[in-house]
Amino acid sequence: MKDAFGTPQSLLVLGGTSEIGLATARRLVARRTRTVWLAGRPSPDLEKAAAALRDMGADVRTVAFDALDPESHEESLGKIFTEGDIDMVLLAFGILGDQARDEDEPLSAVRVAQTNYTGAVSAGLVCARALQSQGHGSLVVLSSVAGERARRSNFIYGSSKAGLDAFSQGLGDALHGTGVHVMVVRPGFVRSKMTAGLEEAPMATTPDAVAEAIETGLRRRSETVWVPGALRVVMSALRHAPRPLFRRLPV
Amino acid sequence: MPADSPTDSLATPSTGSPVPPAPVATSDAAPVAASDAVSVSGWGRTAPTTARLVRPRTQEEAVAAVRGCGERGGIPRGLGRAYGDAAQNAGGAVFDMTGLDRVRAIDADAGTVVCDAGVSLHRLMEVLLPLGWFVPVTPGTRYVTVGGAIGADIHGKNHHVSGSFSRHVLAMDLLTADGTVHTVTPGTPLFDASAGGMGLTGMILSATVQLQPVETSLMSVDTERATDLDDLMARLAATDHRYRYSVAWIDLLARGAAMGRSVLTRGDHAPLDALPARARARRAPLAFRPGQLPAAPSFVPEGLLGKASVGLFNELWYRKAPRSRTGELQKISTFFHPLDGVPHWNRVYGRSGFVQYQFVVGYGKEEALRHIVRRISERGCPSFLAVLKRFGEGDPGWLSFPMPGWTLALDIPANLPGLGAFLDELDEEVAAAEGRVYLAKDSRLRPEMLAAMYPRLDDFRALRADLDPRGVFRSDLSRRLAL
């Protein structure tokens, strides 16, 4: 169960090798979290991540999960919930893609969309239903500022996050009053292996900062969290910038 | 959680008229719509969860409710005054006991009452005071049920004299997980597991309670101020035994030399000859007329109770108290239940709610108490409700909170950053001093701390495993702490 400050005792991370996911797990394990499920494609990295959390004292299990195979989600995720309540599900999987290549190869663009959006729709719904039947829990969805307004430089990734973001907001409204809390997290540029080699955007942040913002959001039962917080204002302005102007901005 | 949610309607005193059916809180658009699910939280309004609310009105209905409560079990709930998650059961059933609300028999000579578990102490006072009897133990609110009073084994300002509530329970009817009703008497394992058992051994259906005789419905109260914590502890230790009721309000925001400055309020039931000859009260010395102010508004902005506002309140409250005054006559409601005068006062903390932290450390561990008070005051926890009391002899309940020693209770807004980690540190100090925190108020304890604080925890777990192997009686508290 969550405590009065929203800190979960059990956590399921979808995208078990995600740096933000693991930074959040570390932070929560240092508080109350004792049971962690890391869901992802079986790999040495996934096992390494599990071992690192075990060293912190958590009971960690890994489970095979593939965002690109929505038909398996019902079974692979469903069985986790039969083993006990999950207080928080962190939907942290996603790929950035390579904008230039994806524009040339529509199929690789589709793969970005299927991972980030379609995979999340199915996994999100499966988890939401399980959380609802246990009468409590948080579903935390990692969206992105990139979904707030499509930019020339990464609109394929951005559009997939825009879809995910809208889906999560709607799911949050659907679950309002059921005891299940949906929180959409919109980080800006996060310095991580996903963005390694890319030119850093203004107001860049770190996985640890995102984890901290998630913990605060849980305490406040927030519905939307921006990281860093000032991005809320910046993006509000950018969202309304006229397109001829927006095109010329160095964003 | 919206303030006009069903949780709040549960919290309203239900004596007299039945509570209206709780509105449905689920959205039709939800993937799986459980049409009778409602959001339930404790009095602190943190961590609400959703459950099916069942309100039995007869013993037969109660048996049917327990038998049919489903896979995620159920937990009895009274008037929702437990601060944390003791009377919530996410995804399962919550048995609203306020439908079982009959006072069945009063023996006005022997001073005993037999009543249903859902009868509130408020109702008992209304019925019993005119007959010259008072409840043996009352906490800071009258709006707790008899079942809840036993389940949490509540204590009052008279613990040093009278012990906790269940010490005055002569017998109770308990509906256990197998659907049978047992009459349980003191001195048996089932009684000791149920007194303070947080509703997890079964559903208390009715109880026989030994009452306290009184001549009037007024209290004779002595008030004095203590300039700091040491002064306060010295005064309490030296003179507590002279009063039936004793409590100290502490200003936890006062620092430095004033740390622990406080107002002591002690008293006893006023005898008839203490009333002035021509006073109005003389004509009806046993009248019970608690006043009530308008309810707190349903929306209160966050952060109203910060260091500045609470600091100002504390300053005024301390200055307002007389340096010393004896024999003042006060109404029962003024002396025992000042907050009951403001319905829904828990709303003043805004939507993120508040936590109450209450712990006890034994006599001889005064240094630990001083250290904790110093840490709280140095950290600047905006608490305007902090009280210090002395407990007497411990009670037999396996999970009963009181033990001989000092107990401090304080309210803190839940949105205070870093509060969780801070309270975890205080837990460590409490446990190191062989003390414990109160489960009826808890919403955040680390499960690992529990065994050190409650040495009979294993007995409790073993009895439950035996009595209720499927875990029919279950709550968010029991899940969180693996009770």
Side-chain angles (χ1 to χ4, degrees), chain A residues 181-184 216-218 220-225, chain B residues 351:
Chain A
H181 161 225
V182 178
M183 183 164 93
V184 179
T216 309
L218 289 171
R220 294 184 182 156
R221 278 180 253 161
S222 308
E223 293 180 316
T224 317
V225 171
Chain B
R351 69 181 281 276

Side-chain angles (χ1 to χ4, degrees), chain A residues 76-100:
Chain A
S76 60
L77 299 179
K79 75 166 185 237
I80 296 174
F81 287 86
T82 60
E83 305 235 344
D85 284 12
I86 299 289
D87 302 332
M88 169 173 162
V89 178
L90 177 59
L91 204 155
F93 61 80
I95 52 173
L96 190 54
D98 176 332
Q99 179 72 21

Side-chain angles (χ1 to χ4, degrees), chain A residues 14 48 91 111 121 132-133 151 163 166 172 220 225 236 240:
Chain A
L14 301 179
K48 220 167 75 190
L91 204 155
R111 196 165 155 269
V121 165
Q132 198 185 347
S133 61
R151 284 178 295 158
R220 294 184 182 156
V225 171
S236 171
H240 297 103

Side-chain angles (χ1 to χ4, degrees), chain A residues 1-5 9 31-32 34 85 129 132-136 173-179 219-221, chain B residues 25 27 30 32 45-46 48-50 72 90-91 351 355 414-415 420 424 443-444 446-448 476 479-480:
Chain A
M1 298 302 303
K2 282 193 281 187
D3 70 2
F5 310 109
Q9 289 181 315
R31 300 268 190 264
R32 282 288 181 283
R34 293 295 171 268
D85 284 12
R129 192 170 49 209
Q132 198 185 347
S133 61
Q134 66 184 30
H136 71 103
D173 291 339
L175 291 172
H176 183 76
T178 64
R219 171 161 56 81
R220 294 184 182 156
R221 278 180 253 161
Chain B
S27 151
V32 181
R45 308 211 305 164
T46 55
T49 60
T50 304
R72 289 183 67 88
R351 69 181 281 276
V355 294
N415 64 6
D424 284 350
S443 52
R444 33 122 332 250
R446 251 181 309 164
E448 300 94 282
D476 288 0
R479 263 187 283 263
R480 183 166 57 79

Side-chain angles (χ1 to χ4, degrees), chain B residues 422-441:
Chain B
F422 178 66
L423 293 180
D424 284 350
E425 288 168 25
L426 296 192
D427 287 343
E428 302 274 355
E429 294 202 30
V430 169
E434 291 156 18
R436 56 175 71 129
V437 300
Y438 190 10
L439 295 182
K441 298 190 171 176

Side-chain angles (χ1 to χ4, degrees), chain B residues 90-421:
Chain B
V94 166
F95 310 119
D96 175 359
M97 298 302 291
T98 58
L100 288 161
D101 59 355
R102 263 149 303 184
V103 177
R104 295 184 176 268
I106 299 170
D107 183 335
D109 297 323
T112 60
V113 61
V114 183
C115 65
D116 286 349
V119 172
S120 69
L121 297 192
H122 174 83
R123 176 93 188 112
L124 283 185
M125 285 175 210
E126 280 182 336
V127 172
L128 297 170
L129 267 169
L131 303 173
W133 295 99
F134 191 58
V135 294
V137 167
T138 176
T141 171
R142 298 186 298 281
Y143 300 114
V144 296
T145 60
V146 169
I150 300 170
D153 202 15
I154 59 164
H155 57 269
K157 300 174 173 55
N158 57 346
H159 189 278
H160 61 293
V161 176
S162 310
S164 63
F165 193 88
S166 47
R167 203 185 286 181
H168 307 270
V169 174
L170 305 177
M172 61 180 159
D173 278 355
L174 185 75
L175 168 58
T176 50
D178 56 4
T180 59
V181 180
H182 309 255
T183 299
V184 188
T185 49
T188 60
L190 191 49
F191 187 94
D192 293 346
S194 304
M198 307 312 292
L200 294 166
T201 56
M203 179 193 279
I204 297 167
L205 295 172
S206 64
T208 309
V209 182
Q210 178 68 54
L211 304 164
Q212 158 78 34
V214 291
E215 287 180 22
T216 72
S217 63
L218 291 172
M219 305 299 298
S220 170
V221 182
D222 292 0
T223 309
E224 58 191 292
R225 291 200 297 205
T227 51
D228 60 37
L229 188 63
D230 288 332
D231 181 24
L232 169 68
M233 288 164 72
R235 283 173 196 245
L236 279 173
T239 55
D240 236 15
H241 62 276
R242 287 203 257 127
Y243 299 91
R244 176 179 294 275
Y245 299 98
S246 170
V247 69
W249 168 88
I250 302 195
D251 178 0
L252 283 178
L253 281 176
R255 297 165 73 162
M259 186 195 85
R261 69 174 180 179
S262 41
V263 179
L264 272 79
T265 323
R266 275 102 57 93
D268 207 336
H269 298 281
L272 195 55
D273 56 23
L275 306 191
R278 299 181 55 196
R280 225 174 46 162
R282 271 270 178 179
R283 273 176 274 150
L286 289 163
F288 177 55
R289 291 192 211 92
Q292 206 155 64
L293 296 166
S298 58
F299 176 78
V300 177
E302 203 79 336
L304 206 60
L305 296 181
K307 251 200 273 188
S309 57
V310 173
L312 182 67
F313 169 87
N314 286 3
E315 188 68 38
L316 293 173
W317 196 253
Y318 180 74
R319 300 277 168 216
K320 169 182 151 308
R323 258 179 233 287
S324 174
R325 177 167 61 196
T326 56
E328 186 196 0
L329 292 177
Q330 284 186 359
K331 292 206 282 188
I332 275 173
S333 50
T334 313
F335 181 72
F336 290 106
H337 318 118
L339 282 168
D340 282 349
V342 186
H344 302 297
W345 64 262
N346 57 340
R347 289 174 181 165
V348 301
Y349 286 93
R351 69 181 281 276
S352 49
F354 68 103
V355 294
Q356 177 150 107
Y357 191 65
Q358 181 168 4
F359 66 91
V360 56
V361 291
Y363 294 123
K365 304 286 183 184
E366 284 75 12
E367 207 34 61
L369 176 68
R370 275 192 204 97
H371 193 244
I372 293 173
V373 169
R374 193 176 313 126
R375 287 192 64 176
I376 294 171
S377 97
E378 274 165 11
R379 193 174 192 282
C381 286
S383 175
F384 73 101
L385 269 179
V387 298
L388 186 75
K389 285 191 288 262
R390 281 164 64 88
F391 278 153
E393 215 180 304
D395 303 284
W398 292 349
L399 296 188
S400 273
F401 168 66
M403 58 186 249
W406 302 87
T407 180
L408 178 69
L410 57 147
D411 283 2
I412 318 168
N415 64 6
L416 207 66
L419 182 60

Side-chain angles (χ1 to χ4, degrees), chain A residues 67-122:
Chain A
L68 286 171
D69 182 13
E71 274 160 31
S72 69
H73 290 178
E74 188 86 58
E75 202 205 321
S76 60
L77 299 179
K79 75 166 185 237
I80 296 174
F81 287 86
T82 60
E83 305 235 344
D85 284 12
I86 299 289
D87 302 332
M88 169 173 162
V89 178
L90 177 59
L91 204 155
F93 61 80
I95 52 173
L96 190 54
D98 176 332
Q99 179 72 21
R101 188 196 63 206
D102 294 349
E103 284 178 34
D104 279 346
E105 299 171 18
L107 277 181
S108 66
V110 165
R111 196 165 155 269
V112 172
Q114 283 182 334
T115 307
N116 295 0
Y117 179 68
T118 320
V121 165
S122 104

